[in-house]
Amino acid sequence: MAVVHNLGFPRIGAKRELKFGLEAYWKGDSSRDALQALGATLRRDHWQAQAGLDLAPVGDFSFYDQMLDMSVTLGNLPERVQGFHGDALDNYFRVARGRSAQGAEDHAGCCGGVAAGEMTKWFDTNYHYIVPEFGAATSFALDATRLLTQLAEARAQGVKAKPVIVGPVTYLALGKARDGSDKLALLPALLDAYAQLLCTLAEHGAEWVQVDEPVLVTELDLDWQHAFNLSYHHLKACPAKLLVATYFGQLEENRYLAANLPVAGLHVDAVCGRDDIVPLLNLLPDHKVLSLGVVDGRNVWKTDLAAVLDWLEPIAERRGERLWIAPSCSLLHVPVDLAGERRLDPELASWLAFAVQKLDELQVLARALREGRASVADALAANAAALASRRASPRVHDPAVRAAVAGIDAHFGRRHGAYPERAARQAALLRLPPYPTTTIGSFPQTASIRQARAGHKAGQLDDAAYRAAMRAEIERSVREQEALGLDVLVHGEAERNDMVEYFGEQLQGYAFSESGWVQSYGSRCVKPPILFGDVGRPRTMTVEWIAHAQSLTAKPVKGMLTGPVTMLNWSFVRDDQPRSASCLQLALAIRQEVLDLERAGVRVIQIDEAALREGLPLRRAQWKRYLGWAVDAFRIAANGVRDDTQIHTHMCYSEFNDIVAAIAAMDADVITIETARSSMELLDAFEHFAYPNAIGPGVYDIHSPNIPSREHIVDLMRKAAGRIPAERLWVNPDCGLKTRQWAEVLPALANMVAAARDLRQAA
Ligand code: GLN
Ligand code: ZN
């Protein structure tokens, strides 16, 4: 009883081999054959790491993204990349990355230049997928090569293979109709391609196919519910047994729908969807397999094995061999192997499980179910001891932090005066012109900055030398900004490796892995810090740098902090208390820094909340609760200051429609946002809401090396002034400039400052 399987393994490699392989190939430093060989090696290694499983995923490996893979499999690449003369893999990278993909240069005149596919977040994770594109004329043509190749490889290696694909409804739901046509009209044609695919996989020896349908944990209207029934009734003629997999949340009102699809099995997330399971058991026809995701596939903590067994044993009793166990979702979202960590201290490491360790946990659970707990007594005892040490650790529980949180009362989140009153005081103090200019915080992270940081980390550069190097970089950026004539300056963030890591390193309660990399998109990986304990701020984190910058100029320098919600959403967080509780602790720590900056004479303080939006729950019904505590946390971090201290916040995305009210409730004096690409249309949401405070709509896209012209910026700001009163407008780029070169930044900002002068003159 209890089949053990996995939904997906991290593909990037324990040492990020895939990242480096891809980047070398894109640069032209290695061959396509070498990249293909690397792919095969990684797949082999990953199947070996999963050797104990009864069924291992096949087709979860990807050179870029599983949604893009699915588009290739279905023959649904955008029209603009069709007719490419080069290799299919290069064409694949063209969709992923645009024209710069290797191989495309040879075709510059005919079929070379092409825009990249749109990229967006995979549900509420930090993974990004390439959005499928549809139109009324879209047709599908099966190309099963990738899956069949990997299936043949797996079978040749003796892997008990279970191909994994994105299901038809999720594929359609996450795609975009570029011509505004009805995507659902494509379903019949899409299902024909899926039916063909499933038959082909069965012919090539796949008994089970895992069909991922995570949209089942979101709110579905009747049309989409109907699409589910239609799809799986259509596909049931295929000989392969289908395991429909859902994850990342609860089925709730979709429970009945999911339980009664005509498929052989259903996988559900028993970590975030635990409450679903008992009602689901009563709905699920007896002959179906129920796969329970009992090990958290999205976080790094050890599973409480005894607690899972207490809950699982009666279910296993009832369902016998029709119970499977697995991680809650693909392990794509966690690092590969804890064994690679040599610097984490042993106590903390003993609390953690990465992908490989999570699969070990599943084996222990399976054995306990099959042969009784006594058969794995040692493993269970070790697990219990680790959990007990975590529960009791004074590093996790700090009474002083608890007391500080308990001491929060209503005045913490409230400014003294209302915005108009504050704005008047700030104007008197800062004496800024109309259309004041500023930047979002970072200036280019140059080679010399990176060298200094690497040297410092490696111990070649001592603290004093490193600090001197950073102070010199700060001075350079202040001088450049003065020469440009910007109004509110920044220090440039030279000393920061990353906007979350930099703060996490200085806060109590955070730990850092050495190689805990997780794929974000394509070859891009992030290493989320691990928030393991009560958060404290033992000493100031930014005051020295900002004060240094301020000492160099008479212009106001903006202090720069990362907000509590962003710290939370970009970290692996505690699972032993609600996210909101961790967020509140972060808010208090940042509040201390805000107050210390103010005490040091800093008049303008920016608190970035780049990740506020991405923390939104998958179900709209839960948005209000999340936004409630997230906004409270921001307010607690920001609002302890005097009325004449100006609070800025920054958010770099372009969908504000649903959250303007929450943003207004944050009550920052100034918010800078990304708008350039939408040509100011997204200000409509703010206009419509009658957003009361000041806004700096980004006037140029910092992701592009293009230099925006002065006229273009004036034009954009005029559009902005049509929506927001000019006296509440600021002029700034879309986001930080750390990925740009000085040679791009200087002319762009010069045009921006000139445009602001034009606007003032015309006013
Ligand atoms: N202050 C940060 C910077 O300028 C903001 C980055 C972000 O919003 N992602 O780099
Ligand atoms: Zn930004």
Side-chain angles (χ1 to χ4, degrees), residues 725-760:
E727 61 277 13
R728 283 196 273 120
L729 284 176
W730 284 61
V731 184
N732 46 262
D734 262 356
C735 193
L737 300 163
K738 61 174 165 250
T739 57
R740 298 261 62 90
Q741 316 279 324
W742 277 106
E744 298 155 351
V745 164
L746 293 177
L749 291 179
N751 289 350
M752 189 183 91
V753 171
R757 288 201 184 110
D758 291 348
L759 289 160
R760 285 167 204 156

Coordinates of all heavy atoms in Angstrom, one line a residue, residues 725-760:
P725 N -3.7 65.5 -10.1 CA -3.3 67.0 -10.1 C -1.8 67.1 -10.1 O -1.1 66.4 -9.4 CB -3.9 67.5 -8.8 CG -5.0 66.5 -8.4 CD -4.6 65.2 -9.1
A726 N -1.3 68.1 -10.9 CA 0.1 68.2 -11.1 C 0.9 68.4 -9.8 O 2.0 68.0 -9.7 CB 0.4 69.4 -12.1
E727 N 0.3 69.1 -8.8 CA 1.0 69.4 -7.6 C 1.3 68.1 -6.8 O 2.0 68.1 -5.8 CB 0.3 70.5 -6.8 CG -1.1 70.2 -6.3 CD -2.2 70.5 -7.3 OE1 -1.8 70.7 -8.5 OE2 -3.3 70.5 -7.0
R728 N 0.6 67.0 -7.2 CA 0.9 65.8 -6.5 C 1.7 64.8 -7.4 O 1.7 63.6 -7.1 CB -0.4 65.1 -6.0 CG -1.0 65.8 -4.8 CD -2.0 65.0 -4.1 NE -3.3 65.2 -4.6 CZ -4.1 64.3 -5.2 NH1 -3.6 63.0 -5.3 NH2 -5.3 64.5 -5.6
L729 N 2.3 65.3 -8.4 CA 3.1 64.4 -9.3 C 4.6 64.5 -9.0 O 5.1 65.6 -8.8 CB 2.8 64.7 -10.7 CG 1.5 64.2 -11.3 CD1 1.3 64.6 -12.7 CD2 1.4 62.6 -11.2
W730 N 5.3 63.4 -9.1 CA 6.8 63.3 -9.1 C 7.2 62.8 -10.4 O 6.5 62.1 -11.1 CB 7.3 62.4 -7.9 CG 7.2 63.1 -6.6 CD1 6.1 63.5 -5.9 CD2 8.3 63.3 -5.7 NE1 6.4 64.0 -4.7 CE2 7.7 63.9 -4.5 CE3 9.7 63.1 -5.7 CZ2 8.5 64.3 -3.4 CZ3 10.5 63.5 -4.7 CH2 9.9 64.1 -3.5
V731 N 8.5 63.0 -10.7 CA 9.1 62.5 -12.0 C 10.2 61.5 -11.6 O 11.2 61.9 -11.0 CB 9.6 63.6 -12.9 CG1 10.1 63.1 -14.2 CG2 8.5 64.7 -13.0
N732 N 10.1 60.3 -12.1 CA 11.1 59.3 -11.7 C 11.1 58.1 -12.7 O 10.1 57.9 -13.4 CB 10.9 58.8 -10.3 CG 9.4 58.4 -10.0 OD1 8.7 59.2 -9.4 ND2 9.0 57.3 -10.5
P733 N 12.2 57.3 -12.7 CA 12.1 56.1 -13.6 C 11.2 55.0 -12.9 O 10.7 55.2 -11.8 CB 13.5 55.6 -13.5 CG 14.4 56.6 -12.8 CD 13.5 57.4 -12.1
D734 N 10.9 54.0 -13.7 CA 10.0 52.9 -13.3 C 10.5 52.1 -12.0 O 9.8 51.6 -11.3 CB 9.9 51.8 -14.4 CG 8.7 52.0 -15.2 OD1 7.9 52.9 -14.9 OD2 8.6 51.3 -16.2
C735 N 11.9 52.0 -11.9 CA 12.4 51.1 -10.9 C 13.9 51.5 -10.7 O 14.4 52.4 -11.3 CB 12.2 49.6 -11.3 SG 12.5 48.5 -9.9
G736 N 14.6 50.7 -9.8 CA 16.0 50.9 -9.6 C 16.8 50.7 -10.8 O 16.5 50.0 -11.7
L737 N 18.0 51.3 -10.8 CA 18.9 51.3 -12.0 C 20.1 50.4 -11.8 O 21.0 50.5 -12.6 CB 19.4 52.7 -12.2 CG 18.2 53.7 -12.4 CD1 18.7 55.2 -12.2 CD2 17.6 53.6 -13.8
K738 N 20.0 49.4 -10.9 CA 21.2 48.6 -10.6 C 21.6 47.7 -11.8 O 22.8 47.4 -11.9 CB 21.0 47.8 -9.4 CG 19.9 46.8 -9.4 CD 19.9 45.9 -8.2 CE 18.6 45.1 -8.0 NZ 17.8 45.6 -6.9
T739 N 20.7 47.4 -12.7 CA 21.1 46.5 -13.8 C 21.6 47.3 -15.0 O 21.9 46.7 -16.0 CB 19.9 45.6 -14.2 OG1 18.8 46.4 -14.6 CG2 19.5 44.7 -13.1
R740 N 21.6 48.6 -14.9 CA 22.0 49.4 -16.1 C 23.4 49.8 -16.0 O 24.1 49.7 -14.9 CB 21.1 50.6 -16.2 CG 19.6 50.3 -16.4 CD 19.2 50.4 -17.9 NE 19.8 49.5 -18.7 CZ 19.4 48.3 -19.0 NH1 18.3 47.8 -18.5 NH2 20.1 47.5 -19.8
Q741 N 23.9 50.4 -17.1 CA 25.3 51.0 -17.1 C 25.2 52.5 -16.8 O 24.2 53.1 -17.2 CB 25.9 50.8 -18.5 CG 25.7 49.5 -19.1 CD 26.7 48.5 -18.6 OE1 27.9 48.9 -18.3 NE2 26.3 47.3 -18.4
W742 N 26.2 53.0 -16.3 CA 26.2 54.5 -16.1 C 26.0 55.2 -17.4 O 25.3 56.2 -17.5 CB 27.5 55.0 -15.4 CG 27.5 54.8 -13.9 CD1 28.1 53.9 -13.2 CD2 26.8 55.6 -13.0 NE1 27.9 54.1 -11.9 CE2 27.0 55.2 -11.7 CE3 25.9 56.8 -13.1 CZ2 26.5 55.7 -10.5 CZ3 25.4 57.3 -12.0 CH2 25.7 56.8 -10.7
A743 N 26.6 54.6 -18.5 CA 26.5 55.3 -19.8 C 25.0 55.3 -20.3 O 24.7 56.2 -21.1 CB 27.3 54.5 -20.8
E744 N 24.2 54.5 -19.8 CA 22.8 54.6 -20.1 C 22.0 55.5 -19.1 O 21.1 56.2 -19.5 CB 22.1 53.2 -20.1 CG 22.7 52.2 -21.1 CD 22.5 50.7 -20.6 OE1 22.1 50.5 -19.5 OE2 22.8 49.8 -21.4
V745 N 22.4 55.4 -17.9 CA 21.7 56.1 -16.8 C 21.9 57.6 -16.9 O 20.9 58.3 -16.8 CB 22.2 55.6 -15.5 CG1 21.8 56.5 -14.3 CG2 21.7 54.1 -15.2
L746 N 23.1 58.0 -17.2 CA 23.3 59.5 -17.2 C 22.5 60.2 -18.3 O 21.8 61.2 -17.9 CB 24.8 59.8 -17.3 CG 25.6 59.3 -16.1 CD1 27.1 59.6 -16.3 CD2 25.1 60.1 -14.8
P747 N 22.5 59.8 -19.6 CA 21.7 60.5 -20.5 C 20.2 60.4 -20.3 O 19.4 61.3 -20.5 CB 22.1 59.9 -21.9 CG 22.8 58.6 -21.5 CD 23.4 58.8 -20.2
A748 N 19.8 59.2 -19.8 CA 18.4 59.0 -19.5 C 17.9 60.0 -18.4 O 16.9 60.6 -18.5 CB 18.1 57.6 -19.1
L749 N 18.7 60.1 -17.3 CA 18.3 60.9 -16.2 C 18.4 62.4 -16.6 O 17.6 63.2 -16.2 CB 19.1 60.6 -15.0 CG 18.8 59.3 -14.3 CD1 19.6 59.1 -13.1 CD2 17.3 59.1 -13.9
A750 N 19.4 62.7 -17.5 CA 19.5 64.1 -17.9 C 18.3 64.5 -18.7 O 17.7 65.6 -18.5 CB 20.8 64.2 -18.8
N751 N 17.8 63.6 -19.5 CA 16.5 63.9 -20.3 C 15.4 64.0 -19.3 O 14.5 64.9 -19.5 CB 16.2 62.8 -21.3 CG 17.2 62.9 -22.5 OD1 18.0 63.9 -22.6 ND2 17.2 61.9 -23.3
M752 N 15.4 63.2 -18.3 CA 14.3 63.2 -17.3 C 14.2 64.6 -16.6 O 13.2 65.2 -16.4 CB 14.4 62.1 -16.3 CG 13.2 61.9 -15.4 SD 13.5 60.5 -14.2 CE 14.2 61.5 -12.9
V753 N 15.4 65.0 -16.1 CA 15.5 66.3 -15.4 C 15.1 67.5 -16.3 O 14.4 68.4 -15.9 CB 16.9 66.5 -14.8 CG1 17.1 67.9 -14.3 CG2 17.2 65.4 -13.7
A754 N 15.6 67.4 -17.6 CA 15.2 68.4 -18.6 C 13.7 68.5 -18.8 O 13.1 69.6 -18.9 CB 16.0 68.2 -19.9
A755 N 13.1 67.3 -18.9 CA 11.7 67.2 -19.1 C 11.0 67.9 -17.9 O 10.0 68.6 -18.1 CB 11.3 65.8 -19.2
A756 N 11.4 67.6 -16.7 CA 10.8 68.2 -15.5 C 10.9 69.7 -15.6 O 9.9 70.4 -15.2 CB 11.4 67.7 -14.2
R757 N 12.0 70.2 -16.0 CA 12.2 71.7 -16.2 C 11.2 72.2 -17.2 O 10.5 73.3 -16.9 CB 13.6 72.1 -16.6 CG 14.6 71.9 -15.5 CD 15.8 72.7 -15.6 NE 16.7 72.3 -14.6 CZ 17.8 71.6 -14.7 NH1 18.3 71.2 -15.9 NH2 18.6 71.2 -13.6
D758 N 11.0 71.5 -18.3 CA 10.0 72.0 -19.3 C 8.7 72.0 -18.7 O 7.9 73.0 -18.9 CB 10.0 71.0 -20.5 CG 11.3 71.0 -21.3 OD1 12.1 71.9 -21.1 OD2 11.5 70.1 -22.1
L759 N 8.3 71.0 -17.9 CA 7.0 71.0 -17.3 C 6.8 72.1 -16.4 O 5.7 72.7 -16.3 CB 6.8 69.6 -16.6 CG 6.7 68.4 -17.5 CD1 7.0 67.1 -16.7 CD2 5.3 68.3 -18.1
R760 N 7.8 72.4 -15.6 CA 7.7 73.5 -14.6 C 7.5 74.9 -15.4 O 6.7 75.7 -15.0 CB 9.0 73.7 -13.8 CG 9.0 72.6 -12.7 CD 10.4 72.5 -12.1 NE 10.6 71.2 -11.6 CZ 11.8 70.6 -11.4 NH1 12.9 71.3 -11.7 NH2 11.9 69.4 -10.9

